[in-house]
Amino acid sequence: MSEVYRNILPIEYPGIPSAGVYYFTTRSGLRYEVRFGRFQDNIFHANIVFGVVDDVFEGEEYTTTNRGEVYQVMNTIVEIIKHYMQEHPKVNIFEFSAIGRECEEEENTENARMILYKRFLPRIFEYGWDFKIKGNFAFVTKK
């Protein structure tokens, strides 16, 4: 495995597995949250939301940033999602969206974040999963 994919930051796991909220802090001091939400009409369907939760970005929740730590951040998110999948093996649908920057408003085309996320999807969902990506929305289902 490439050195780029080995660098994982320390993870703060939820005290209760069903809580589905994880945290980690980058070396530059940015605090990230990774949150899993379950759908009321299908508890085996989870929405993944992640981003910076520091006040540095004027209260804009789930901002993502690039301070040269993109691989550490993405590797850590991969580990968190894999951990969540181990804790919740019956979840068979995951979805998330790549919130774009202001200059990337087009919903039907992939933004730079989705292109990055697509690179990591096979590392998270290694086999037995189908990916559907439409614009900045990813829908992953178990085969």
Side-chain angles (χ1 to χ4, degrees), residues 75-121:
N75 290 338
T76 306
I77 291 169
V78 167
E79 287 302 308
I80 288 170
I81 295 171
K82 285 183 170 192
H83 180 268
Y84 184 87
M85 290 169 65
Q86 284 179 327
E87 292 286 321
H88 303 88
K90 293 188 179 192
V91 173
N92 56 25
I93 302 170
F94 290 91
E95 67 177 65
F96 63 90
S97 23
I99 300 168
R101 294 174 282 222
E102 288 180 26
C103 61
E104 299 174 323
E105 294 179 21
E106 186 84 27
E107 284 187 26
N108 293 324
T109 59
E110 293 174 5
N111 64 25
R113 285 192 182 121
M114 182 54 75
I115 292 167
L116 173 67
Y117 298 169
K118 278 175 47 177
R119 182 176 175 181
F120 284 84
L121 282 175

Side-chain angles (χ1 to χ4, degrees), residues 13-142:
Y13 294 92
I16 302 169
S18 62
V21 182
Y22 299 73
Y23 294 96
F24 63 94
T25 303
T26 65
R27 291 191 175 102
S28 71
L30 291 177
R31 185 164 173 76
Y32 277 78
E33 178 182 76
V34 180
R35 180 179 294 271
F36 296 85
R38 303 286 276 277
F39 287 76
Q40 279 187 324
D41 62 340
N42 182 357
I43 61 169
F44 304 120
H45 184 165
N47 183 30
I48 305 169
V49 179
F50 57 89
V52 175
V53 292
D54 289 330
D55 288 337
V56 133
F57 298 103
E58 300 175 5
E60 185 177 327
E61 201 171 17
Y62 301 120
T63 300
T64 55
T65 185
N66 185 358
R67 291 192 176 171
E69 300 170 317
V70 67
Y71 291 113
Q72 293 172 339
V73 167
M74 291 305 298
N75 290 338
T76 306
I77 291 169
V78 167
E79 287 302 308
I80 288 170
I81 295 171
K82 285 183 170 192
H83 180 268
Y84 184 87
M85 290 169 65
Q86 284 179 327
E87 292 286 321
H88 303 88
K90 293 188 179 192
V91 173
N92 56 25
I93 302 170
F94 290 91
E95 67 177 65
F96 63 90
S97 23
I99 300 168
R101 294 174 282 222
E102 288 180 26
C103 61
E104 299 174 323
E105 294 179 21
E106 186 84 27
E107 284 187 26
N108 293 324
T109 59
E110 293 174 5
N111 64 25
R113 285 192 182 121
M114 182 54 75
I115 292 167
L116 173 67
Y117 298 169
K118 278 175 47 177
R119 182 176 175 181
F120 284 84
L121 282 175
R123 292 195 49 234
I124 300 168
F125 305 99
E126 297 180 47
Y127 22 76
W129 295 86
D130 285 323
F131 310 114
K132 279 189 186 173
I133 297 172
K134 182 176 180 186
N136 299 321
F137 181 77
F139 194 74
V140 183
T141 55
K142 200 171 221 173

